[in-house]
Structures are given as structure tokens and as C-alpha cells.
Amino acid sequence: MDSIEVIKTRRSIRKFTDGPVPDEIIDKIIEAGTWAPSGMNNQPWKFAVIRLELTAGNKFYKPDSISPMGLLNV
């Protein structure tokens, strides 16, 4: 598949699950991010993987703390 075909057939999927993302998938995402171009090739990447179970007992949990996209608002 060539680059133009990839761009034209790319789709955004907005279905989320409650399950954790496997380490292998996170590793692939981070590796893809390190291949992104950077200005003057300075490669300023910093990645943070945060694993946090949001339950009523967690100090970060508030009923309105989860956005519709599943992101934590702190």
C-alpha cells in the first residue's frame, strides 16, 4: 500500500474499551512516535505511559473526571 492510499483510507475509530492497552501495543505506538520528523532533527520526544484505575476509592476519581473521549481531567 503506498503513502497516498494510506492517507486516503485512514479512518478514526472512536470506540473505547475499559480494558488495559497491552504493553506490546504501547511499545509500537511509542516506536512509531520516535520515527516522526522533528525540526532540525533535534528529536525532542518524551513519552509518558500512565496506568491508573479510576475507581471510587482512587483519589483522582470524580464522577465528572472522565471526558467523553475517556481522558482523565485533573
Side-chain angles (χ1 to χ4, degrees):
M1 186 179 292
D2 70 343
S3 300
I4 298 298
E5 187 176 348
V6 169
I7 292 169
K8 288 181 176 182
T9 59
R10 186 199 72 70
R11 297 290 177 263
S12 295
I13 306 300
R14 289 187 173 58
K15 280 187 174 179
F16 301 100
T17 67
D18 292 336
V21 178
D23 289 340
E24 298 80 29
I25 301 292
I26 291 176
D27 290 343
K28 286 181 181 182
I29 292 168
I30 291 173
E31 180 183 1
T34 62
W35 282 96
S38 64
M40 297 172 54
N41 198 28
N42 62 2
Q43 302 176 7
W45 302 286
K46 294 179 183 177
F47 301 98
V49 177
I50 300 170
R51 295 177 188 263
L52 182 65
E53 185 174 337
L54 295 177
T55 60
N58 186 298
K59 70 178 184 176
F60 294 106
Y61 178 79
K62 296 178 219 127
D64 61 345
S65 67
I66 305 296
S67 75
M69 302 236 354
L71 302 175
L72 176 62
N73 300 317
V74 289

